[in-house]
Amino acid sequence: MAAFDLIIKGGVVSTASDTFKSDIGVKDGRIVALGESLDGGAQEIDARDKHVLPGGIESHCHIEQESATGAMTSDDYYTGSVSAAFGGNTTIIPFAAQHRGERIPDVLRTYHDRAAPKSVLDYSYHLIVTEPTEAALNEDLPRAFEEGITSFKVFMTYDKMIVSDEMFLDILVAAREHGALTMVHAENNAMIKWMVKRLIAKGHTSARYHAISHPEASEVEAIGRAAHLAGFVDAPLLIVHVSTDAGARIVANARLEGQKLFGETCPQYFFLTRGDLDRPGAEGAKFCCSPPLRDEATQQALWRHLQAGTFQLFSSDHAPYRFDESGKLSAGPNPPFNRMANGMPGIELRAPLLFSEGVNKGRITLNQFVALTATNAAKMFGLHPKKGTIAIGADADLAIWDPGLEREVTAASMHDNMDYTPFEGMQLTGWPVTVISRGEVIIEGGELKAERGRGRFLKRAPFAVVGYEAGPAPELDSARNFGATLL
Ligand code: URP
Ligand code: ZN
Ligand code: ZN
């Protein structure tokens, strides 16, 4: 009998901390050996001149999810996970969205039914909470945490999703108590609505006004408020899709102060600008996302934040709505900006974009790339060290990258269920060529080898970070922000 089911030979292995030349021996879906000249594999892959990296963990993507406007994403768990796999990912954590009036156990059942028969990758969900009732806080959320769903998202904007600051505090405390991580979409709802009303009244309806109606100040105010709320109850908080320098500085400063505040950013804020919203006709709708695209100066600032460690995560925020009546144009062929579905696709490109423009252009190291696309997500979302690294005992979730492979981005070459990519025409160098999930080769030679539904639900561990213990929020007089007893 062969010593290993699979050996990956001769590659340069990188983790979030180290880069070294090593073979990788895989048995029963896990990494069991790292060493020079391993022998005895039932299957062997030649990885000479290639990088062998942990499979990416895409922890911000919207798959088979109804949006705030009711539109359904174009990708289901099959096309979404296949597209993610072609982009070098081996785990996805999309959202399970509670819409008002829905009980959380029903929401989770719906998403299990959607994901289990289709996903080719291992998966979990973050729960979007829109109605933190007593039953939700005291029964449903604790049950979800027990089932291994240890993170969730709240919205500070969108009339149909928004929670008040008081509700936000309730959720932060419930999460703290059960060892979960709260994520927040931080934009000031009132500022946006105030702008939208005035712009539409003046007849300013084209896509470019989407960015104007979501000013930087709206994000900055909301990130600041969210940071204060989380600090007040000493709860960890992840600010997702940060798009501004000033917003990122709030995250960086809070971290300097010792707060458990984390930041995520996305490729669209690095490679596109609000100028893209000016494309002719309704084309600008393709570039409509929230927070909106910004300017070149912001792109440079965000690179600096990425280099300096402000952001722990670089996620796609894949929110695919086709450029037709099922998605972007559901309100007609030339919809006003406030009726265009928000979001854009990118699950297949987030890692190649960062590899090409970040690693290959010398902006970040390969180890930073691994941390931003895999290891940090595994740590923050309770999957490490099973996922997100290359180590003895870890799942053999690997992506083999050809660092010199050049390809042009086209919508036709993507594997999602979309009819456009906002990154069309970009020339990228460095692509994943072989993807392995739990020891099984799922992408090779440009072809999918995975069976529909092979992905497994991942029961995640509670959120953990040095210097923080889950449990009731601290007595008010024992924490730096407080002066009386909280609970
Ligand atoms: O515009 C975006 N980002 N749509 C997806 C939903 C969200 O808020 O992340
Ligand atoms: Zn969001
Ligand atoms: Zn999102």
Side-chain angles (χ1 to χ4, degrees), residues 60-62 95 153 155 185 240-241 264 290 317-319:
H60 188 153
C61 50
H62 303 268
F95 294 90
K153 181 177 178 186
F155 285 82
H185 179 129
V240 296
H241 47 49
E264 174 210 73
S290 293
D317 194 3
H318 181 74

Side-chain angles (χ1 to χ4, degrees), residues 325-348:
E325 60 289 344
S326 72
K328 290 285 181 184
L329 307 181
S330 60
N334 209 355
F337 71 85
N338 61 328
R339 299 192 60 201
M340 294 167 179
N342 281 203
M344 57 176 71
I347 203 164
E348 198 164 333

Side-chain angles (χ1 to χ4, degrees), residues 332-363:
N334 209 355
F337 71 85
N338 61 328
R339 299 192 60 201
M340 294 167 179
N342 281 203
M344 57 176 71
I347 203 164
E348 198 164 333
L349 291 172
R350 75 142 183 158
L353 283 163
L354 189 63
F355 193 98
S356 176
E357 305 307 294
V359 179
N360 270 344
K361 295 211 168 140
R363 291 178 168 121

Side-chain angles (χ1 to χ4, degrees), residues 410-437:
T410 62
S413 61
M414 297 292 101
H415 299 82
D416 55 13
N417 187 28
M418 282 296 293
D419 51 0
Y420 77 93
T421 165
F423 305 102
E424 183 80 32
M426 280 186 75
Q427 294 287 342
L428 301 185
T429 305
W431 290 85
V433 288
T434 304
V435 180
I436 297 162
S437 162

Side-chain angles (χ1 to χ4, degrees), residues 241-455:
H241 47 49
V242 176
S243 71
T244 57
D245 180 26
R249 281 172 193 267
I250 294 172
V251 176
N253 286 335
R255 293 171 62 72
L256 265 177
E257 297 287 328
Q259 196 176 331
K260 274 74 76 183
L261 198 71
F262 303 92
E264 174 210 73
T265 191
C266 313
Q268 43 274 35
Y269 305 118
F270 288 67
F271 305 113
L272 304 169
T273 68
R274 64 183 178 215
D276 288 300
L277 290 161
D278 286 334
R279 301 207 186 189
E283 288 268 313
K286 294 178 178 174
F287 299 88
C288 207
C289 61
S290 293
L293 303 176
R294 308 293 185 186
D295 57 15
E296 284 86 0
T298 304
Q299 292 181 336
Q300 299 315 315
L302 293 179
W303 275 115
R304 290 195 297 275
H305 283 290
L306 207 62
Q307 291 160 336
T310 304
F311 298 121
Q312 291 67 52
L313 302 174
F314 187 83
S315 311
S316 70
D317 194 3
H318 181 74
Y321 301 104
R322 291 170 69 97
F323 190 61
D324 62 22
E325 60 289 344
S326 72
K328 290 285 181 184
L329 307 181
S330 60
N334 209 355
F337 71 85
N338 61 328
R339 299 192 60 201
M340 294 167 179
N342 281 203
M344 57 176 71
I347 203 164
E348 198 164 333
L349 291 172
R350 75 142 183 158
L353 283 163
L354 189 63
F355 193 98
S356 176
E357 305 307 294
V359 179
N360 270 344
K361 295 211 168 140
R363 291 178 168 121
I364 58 169
T365 67
L366 195 51
N367 308 105
Q368 281 174 302
F369 171 86
V370 172
L372 286 162
T373 58
T375 315
N376 290 349
K379 288 182 177 169
M380 292 178 69
F381 298 119
L383 293 170
H384 192 263
K386 182 180 162 73
K387 303 286 189 191
T389 193
I390 296 179
I392 305 293
D395 280 359
D397 284 5
L398 303 162
I400 303 177
W401 287 70
D402 181 342
L405 181 63
E406 286 178 38
R407 255 176 54 196
E408 180 179 333
V409 173
T410 62
S413 61
M414 297 292 101
H415 299 82
D416 55 13
N417 187 28
M418 282 296 293
D419 51 0
Y420 77 93
T421 165
F423 305 102
E424 183 80 32
M426 280 186 75
Q427 294 287 342
L428 301 185
T429 305
W431 290 85
V433 288
T434 304
V435 180
I436 297 162
S437 162
R438 281 183 274 105
E440 188 183 327
V441 176
I442 58 167
I443 305 282
E444 196 176 38
E447 281 184 23
L448 178 72
K449 311 275 181 189
E451 260 183 45
R452 198 181 173 92
R454 66 167 292 287

